[in-house]
Amino acid sequence: MGLEVLAIIMVVALFALILIGIPVPFALAVSGIVFGLIGFGTDLFNLIPMRIFGVSTNYTMLAIPLFIFMGVLLEKSRLAERMLDVIGHLSGKRSGGMAIAIVLVGVLMGASTGIVAATVVTVGLISLPTLLRRNYDKGMACGTICASGTLGQIIPPSLVLIILSDISGTSIGSLFAGALIPGLMLAGLYLLYIWLMARLKPQSMPPIPQDERDAMPTSQMLLDLLKVVLPPIALVFAVLGSIIGGIAAPTEAASMGALGALLLVLLSGRFSFSVLRETVISTFKISGMTLFVMMMAKIFSLSFRGLGGDDLIDSLFDFLPGGIWGALIFMMVLLFFLGFFLDWIEISYIVLPLMLPFFQHAGVDIVWLCILVAMNLQMSFLTPPFGWSLFYLKGVAPKEVTTQDIYRGVLPFIGIQAFALTLVIIFPGLATWLPSAVGW
């Protein structure tokens, strides 16, 4: 049996293991080891230790637990809850004001956590019952929460961008800089959609009642703005600015972000050892899962390339019409449909290592390509039936909110994400201008 045939069977076996319920890291390791042994014997075991050691000793990967700690601490201390309350009252006199506040908080939490689950669950618990009590349309409320929660996938510091940096060999700073404009553009498109719907169907997004707004004096609102909203914004700007501006490496900036988040919680009076304990445990769980998948993916990638998988991918793209553009469209469509069934980290470590070498050899701007991939993976959180944001929100939603309400609400936002992705494909400068301007 030819090695290329083994490579094809290996990929099929991997998806079969995932579909029958085997956890992704174990499926990656089993398929990689078994087919690697069949293909080139026990020599495989001479190569595996160095691959795993390379992940565990990668200094840049220290940014992952530090950024996770920073975001989880802000979530566990309920500072995010106070931000939503303050911003909601500032924009609450307009139709759709609370929905606008949710998007803005999604931007802030995305820039401080990069963790979709934390954002969707937090904002869902805080705001969804309130929105329903204020007679918001169920679909609009659910769609806004889910879509805003996914902004953490594209707005830096994002775990997706850190993982893509590792897979592609591109600097984290360049990806952070490249994702900033597309991420803010996407948030702006969300706000534009909400504004239009508020004008067309104001009854679906009524303003906060006057008596509720009067209960919070303007002076108190401005004081809360200074105490609750501006410090996290300043922290985010300091962390991202130091990375994008080349002042600090991502790991050093992440450590200062974690320290800054700890100081914010201390100064707000919300620090406790129970909060710190929950934060540390969540950080260990999320970091451990991410790094374990990275290690096992190295085994799969090693075996696939040893079996001639790179040549197979090149041959596949040669059959596609349209050259580089045809290959790019094929990759985007494939990632979109895989997002219906697989998690983003699974797609990242299964599909991307197979396809990236082709685009690298073809001279495609890898920063631009990674931003396209990140925006595409972001849609996987919203696409039924297995979009993770939908599951997260359903888990904390009141009983009167049905799965159909959530699906109906996210569909317009999926369209907005697809439109934003198309804009970045047509105008690559949206992703490449800032990295070039700051010298990455």
Side-chain angles (χ1 to χ4, degrees), residues 255-317:
S255 64
M256 294 307 298
L259 178 61
L262 190 58
L263 291 176
L264 283 182
V265 174
L266 281 168
L267 293 174
S268 68
R270 294 174 177 266
F271 178 83
S272 69
F273 284 104
S274 63
V275 168
L276 183 61
R277 180 177 178 274
E278 291 178 12
T279 301
V280 170
I281 291 174
S282 295
T283 300
F284 270 112
K285 287 181 178 178
I286 299 171
S287 304
M289 178 272 294
T290 304
L291 293 172
F292 187 47
V293 173
M294 291 170 63
M295 291 177 183
M296 298 304 102
K298 293 293 184 181
I299 300 175
F300 180 86
S301 177
L302 174 67
S303 297
F304 184 80
R305 291 182 175 179
L307 295 172
D310 288 353
D311 295 333
L312 276 175
I313 298 299
D314 289 342
S315 300
L316 170 65
F317 283 137

Side-chain angles (χ1 to χ4, degrees), residues 24 55 158 184 190 220 268 290 295 382-383:
V24 173
V55 175
S158 159
L184 294 177
Y190 287 170
Q220 180 63 43
S268 68
T290 304
M295 291 177 183
L382 294 184
T383 48

Side-chain angles (χ1 to χ4, degrees), residues 26-323:
F26 295 109
L28 286 166
V30 168
S31 55
I33 291 174
V34 169
F35 286 91
L37 287 174
I38 295 173
F40 37 87
T42 55
D43 289 344
L44 173 71
F45 293 104
N46 297 326
L47 302 174
I48 289 177
M50 290 304 299
R51 295 300 180 99
I52 295 178
F53 186 74
V55 175
S56 61
T57 58
N58 188 339
Y59 179 67
T60 305
M61 291 300 104
L62 277 176
I64 292 178
L66 290 169
F67 277 131
I68 292 172
F69 178 88
M70 170 182 164
V72 173
L73 183 60
L74 293 177
E75 182 242 328
K76 296 292 184 184
S77 63
R78 306 184 73 178
L79 280 179
E81 179 178 342
R82 291 288 296 124
M83 281 195 295
L84 181 61
D85 188 47
V86 173
I87 297 175
H89 275 82
L90 284 172
S91 56
K93 67 180 180 180
R94 300 175 179 85
S95 294
M98 280 298 296
I100 291 172
I102 288 171
V103 174
L104 295 177
V105 170
V107 172
L108 291 176
M109 289 193 67
S112 61
T113 69
I115 306 170
V116 171
T119 305
V120 173
V121 170
T122 301
V123 177
L125 283 170
I126 298 166
S127 65
L128 186 53
T130 303
L131 293 178
L132 297 179
R133 190 174 66 250
R134 291 171 180 161
N135 297 317
Y136 263 64
D137 176 77
K138 293 179 184 178
M140 175 59 71
C142 294
T144 302
I145 293 170
C146 288
S148 301
T150 65
L151 289 171
Q153 290 293 93
I154 186 65
I155 293 179
S158 159
L159 289 184
V160 174
L161 298 176
I162 296 175
I163 297 298
L164 291 180
S165 170
D166 175 66
I167 295 173
S168 65
T170 308
S171 70
I172 294 178
S174 61
L175 293 186
F176 281 5
L180 194 58
I181 293 176
L184 294 177
M185 176 187 71
L186 182 59
L189 291 173
Y190 287 170
L191 293 173
L192 178 61
Y193 168 70
I194 292 170
W195 178 79
L196 288 173
M197 292 302 296
R199 297 291 297 270
L200 296 174
K201 296 181 178 180
Q203 71 279 2
S204 66
M205 292 180 283
I208 295 177
Q210 184 65 44
D211 57 343
E212 190 175 338
R213 295 202 305 271
D214 292 341
M216 180 179 286
T218 303
S219 58
Q220 180 63 43
M221 193 182 305
L222 293 176
L223 181 61
D224 286 345
L225 179 67
L226 290 173
K227 291 172 58 178
V228 177
V229 179
L230 293 185
I233 292 177
L235 176 64
V236 167
F237 271 98
V239 172
L240 295 184
S242 63
I243 296 173
I244 295 173
I247 299 171
T251 303
E252 284 79 11
S255 64
M256 294 307 298
L259 178 61
L262 190 58
L263 291 176
L264 283 182
V265 174
L266 281 168
L267 293 174
S268 68
R270 294 174 177 266
F271 178 83
S272 69
F273 284 104
S274 63
V275 168
L276 183 61
R277 180 177 178 274
E278 291 178 12
T279 301
V280 170
I281 291 174
S282 295
T283 300
F284 270 112
K285 287 181 178 178
I286 299 171
S287 304
M289 178 272 294
T290 304
L291 293 172
F292 187 47
V293 173
M294 291 170 63
M295 291 177 183
M296 298 304 102
K298 293 293 184 181
I299 300 175
F300 180 86
S301 177
L302 174 67
S303 297
F304 184 80
R305 291 182 175 179
L307 295 172
D310 288 353
D311 295 333
L312 276 175
I313 298 299
D314 289 342
S315 300
L316 170 65
F317 283 137
D318 288 340
F319 279 111
L320 296 173

